[in-house]
Amino acid sequence: FCRALADGPRLLLADEPTGNLDPATSDIVFDVLLELVRDTGLSALIATHNPELAARMDRTVRLEGGRLS
């Protein structure tokens, strides 16, 4: 996570960034990520299977059967 941000990118791509974490740690990491996005203007595209985390995003898109909805 930190290495991905070291060069100051404008876009962060994250595939299941909290997938292997327990729920409490997952919430903390996601809080930090959202704060970073909102405070710096960084854009983030996050793939997750966790509907609770997805619901906290400004915009969500679902991929089902190879189609975006």
Side-chain angles (χ1 to χ4, degrees):
F1 185 67
C2 293
R3 268 188 299 196
L5 300 172
D7 288 334
R10 292 198 264 166
L11 173 64
L12 175 68
L13 303 175
D15 183 14
E16 293 288 347
T18 60
N20 291 323
L21 303 175
D22 63 87
T25 305
S26 180
D27 284 340
I28 292 168
V29 169
F30 216 72
D31 287 343
V32 170
L33 178 59
L34 291 177
E35 182 178 336
L36 181 67
V37 165
R38 292 191 175 119
D39 289 351
T40 67
L42 174 71
S43 295
L45 184 119
I46 300 170
T48 183
H49 289 96
N50 185 323
E52 291 83 22
L53 293 181
R56 296 175 59 193
M57 300 305 297
D58 292 332
R59 179 175 181 219
T60 59
V61 178
R62 294 181 60 89
L63 178 61
E64 294 183 67
R67 294 182 181 244
L68 292 176
S69 61

